Amino acid sequence: MVVIADPLLAWRKEFPILGHTTYMISHSLGAMPQRAAGRMQEFADTWASRGIRAWKEGWWEMPVTVGNLVGRIIGAGEGEVAMQQNVSICQSVVTSCFDWSRRRNKLLTDGLNFPSNDYVYHGLARWGARVETVASPDGLTLPVELLLDAIDEETQLVSVSHVAFRSSYVQDLAAIVERAHAVGAMVIADLYQSAGTVPVNVRDLQVDFATGGSVKWLCGGPGAGYLYVRRDLWDRLNPIATGWMAHEEPFAFEGGPIRFAGNAFRFLNGTPNVPALYSARSGYEIINEIGVAAIREKSIRQTTRLIELAEAAGLRVNTPRDPERRGGVVILDVPNGKQVTRELTRREVLVDYRPGAGIRVAPHFYSTDEELERTIGEICEIARTSAVENVT
Ligand SMILES: Cc1ncc(COP(=O)(O)O)c(C=O)c1O
């Protein structure tokens, strides 16, 4: 066996759960960095000792100061990312910026989008939006031409995931943005399954909006989503989904229609989720310290290895073979996948299962090669011995 020097393994000691678990589920919930516990304590101490003064001493600005840490990961400039609570809220904010009653009322989505996004879009039909979905021919991938052909002069917004949650398929964002802009449409990219594992640069790509959250590859825990909006669009966008933090002078407590702030605060709404912003910071700092390029290099090596191991064991792989088109997850179509996943959890091998795709297995920068072998070995053993039958 060839032993590969892997400097990223030095990070393992920062993640307590790795001491007793084979953690192959960072596409769903990234492992907690030990230092996040210190941050949460810092929140409690600040609240306890500074009380109301904490707002002026940092809390109020946190949606943007913490957003700057995410901005570095996704290629946004300082002050261009506003932290929200989750992607669903970000979708509501963005789509509420548009007038859906005009002729240009098409909202184009695709069959690989995350369902929560679709729920928001279909609700907009009540305001005149025409939601069109480009189906994925196999439920896992989507030839970019199909999407490009559906973008037309009546399209107001195109919504795609950079990396599909179900199959880890990487979409060609550059081509989609180019076509959308050519016909006067805008693009919102859901980066949840790419940021932190697949390099992405929102400014190079010229996406109009980008959103994502902290739960997965960013190891930031729940309650902190992010919204990037292209700076030159700010003045033109006035979200209906809003609140007093978006006001130019929130502490004037003016009634009547809002006067929007000139900066990224205009996309905020009510009181931010301050504890979540404390806990999320550590993960962002670690991802920035390592750099997504190094994470991606290791991810490609380990997902390639996982595919080799799976295929050698006769398992069907539902993930693109081309590393350029594959995110950080390998999906294995194993019979009784749901039950196998439950048994794996009982054995301290954490993965998850998605209907229509299979068992999702995701190494991250802290994973060892031995853990890849253990995961595939356990799956085969469970399938072979029908251990699933014993699981209720
Ligand atoms: C691509 C993608 N978008 C959105 C979400 C969910 O977003 P939220 O719960 O922050 O609204 C997920 C997963 O939970 C996801 O994988």
Side-chain angles (χ1 to χ4, degrees):
M1 196 175 110
V2 187
V3 179
I4 294 164
D6 183 353
L8 299 193
L9 293 180
W11 286 99
R12 282 179 74 80
K13 57 183 183 310
E14 288 274 351
F15 294 86
I17 200 168
L18 304 180
H20 54 89
T21 301
T22 297
Y23 205 79
M24 291 286 151
I25 194 157
S26 302
H27 58 280
S28 191
L29 182 69
M32 188 197 89
Q34 184 55 48
R35 54 178 96 162
R39 295 285 196 204
M40 286 189 252
Q41 187 61 51
E42 190 186 329
F43 163 72
D45 292 345
T46 305
W47 183 16
S49 64
R50 303 303 298 156
I52 188 76
R53 290 168 293 192
W55 286 112
K56 277 200 178 145
E57 292 168 1
W59 283 8
W60 185 264
E61 299 291 327
M62 274 182 99
V64 171
T65 52
V66 174
N68 283 337
L69 296 172
V70 175
R72 269 173 238 152
I73 297 168
I74 65 170
E78 289 280 301
E80 292 182 346
V81 173
M83 299 303 297
Q84 313 265 351
Q85 294 192 15
N86 55 50
V87 169
S88 311
I89 298 275
C90 295
Q91 296 285 351
S92 295
V93 171
V94 169
T95 52
S96 80
C97 292
F98 297 101
D99 177 356
W100 296 101
S101 66
R102 297 180 310 165
R103 185 165 165 268
R104 190 185 275 279
N105 67 346
K106 183 158 124 180
L107 199 169
L108 190 69
T109 175
D110 69 40
L112 302 178
N113 220 325
F114 193 77
S116 193
N117 300 343
D118 278 349
Y119 303 154
V120 173
Y121 304 153
H122 283 275
L124 292 165
R126 161 181 334 169
W127 289 348
R130 203 159 38 88
V131 182
E132 192 176 302
T133 304
V134 182
S136 154
D138 58 1
L140 302 168
T141 61
L142 184 60
V144 71
E145 296 73 30
L146 294 181
L147 201 66
L148 301 185
D149 287 349
I151 302 174
D152 58 22
E153 306 279 337
E154 293 189 358
T155 309
Q156 177 128 260
L157 187 65
V158 180
S159 164
V160 285
S161 280
H162 186 198
V163 174
F165 79 99
R166 206 186 292 278
S167 60
S168 211
Y169 174 69
V170 179
Q171 306 241 44
D172 186 348
L173 275 185
I176 294 164
V177 171
E178 191 187 342
R179 169 75 185 149
H181 287 180
V183 299
M186 294 192 197
V187 175
I188 177 162
D190 182 338
L191 307 181
Y192 218 141
Q193 290 292 350
S194 57
T197 185
V198 175
V200 56
N201 187 304
V202 288
R203 280 189 294 183
D204 288 353
L205 286 164
Q206 295 178 35
V207 290
D208 304 286
F209 309 94
T211 180
S214 309
V215 175
K216 308 171 194 293
W217 305 100
L218 300 180
C219 299
Y226 55 87
L227 176 62
Y228 161 83
V229 182
R230 234 178 68 197
R231 194 180 273 265
D232 58 297
L233 298 175
W234 289 359
D235 288 349
R236 292 200 256 151
L237 298 172
N238 302 317
I240 292 175
T242 189
W244 69 299
M245 279 197 88
H247 197 281
E248 193 174 22
E249 290 180 88
F251 294 97
F253 299 105
E254 280 176 20
I258 190 166
R259 282 191 292 122
F260 281 105
N263 54 20
F265 272 68
R266 74 191 287 125
F267 302 107
L268 293 176
N269 34 76
T271 310
N273 188 355
V274 173
L277 297 178
Y278 270 87
S279 66
R281 275 173 56 183
S282 308
Y284 307 156
E285 283 162 2
I286 290 171
I287 300 291
N288 272 310
E289 219 173 299
I290 301 172
V292 180
I295 295 174
R296 176 67 168 159
E297 192 185 331
K298 172 167 176 171
S299 168
I300 288 180
R301 183 178 70 72
Q302 288 199 318
T303 51
T304 303
R305 179 71 186 134
L306 262 175
I307 291 174
E308 281 167 9
L309 288 167
E311 287 184 331
L315 301 176
R316 200 180 120 113
V317 177
N318 268 347
T319 315
R321 299 296 188 287
D322 175 4
E324 288 300 311
R325 295 261 73 87
R326 183 175 75 234
V329 190
V330 171
I331 289 99
L332 304 173
D333 186 4
V334 179
N336 301 315
K338 195 171 174 185
Q339 291 88 334
V340 172
T341 299
R342 225 180 291 159
E343 174 63 12
L344 284 167
T345 303
R346 204 186 60 75
R347 298 181 185 197
E348 291 280 328
V349 178
L350 300 187
V351 297
D352 67 7
Y353 171 79
R354 286 292 173 269
I359 298 178
R360 301 192 301 177
V361 183
H364 204 5
F365 60 87
Y366 36 59
S367 304
T368 65
D369 291 356
E370 292 71 32
E371 287 173 321
L372 310 179
E373 297 189 12
R374 170 158 193 237
T375 304
I376 299 296
E378 293 282 8
I379 290 174
C380 293
E381 212 261 334
I382 293 166
R384 193 172 53 243
T385 59
S386 304
V388 289
E389 283 165 18
N390 302 322
V391 185
T392 53

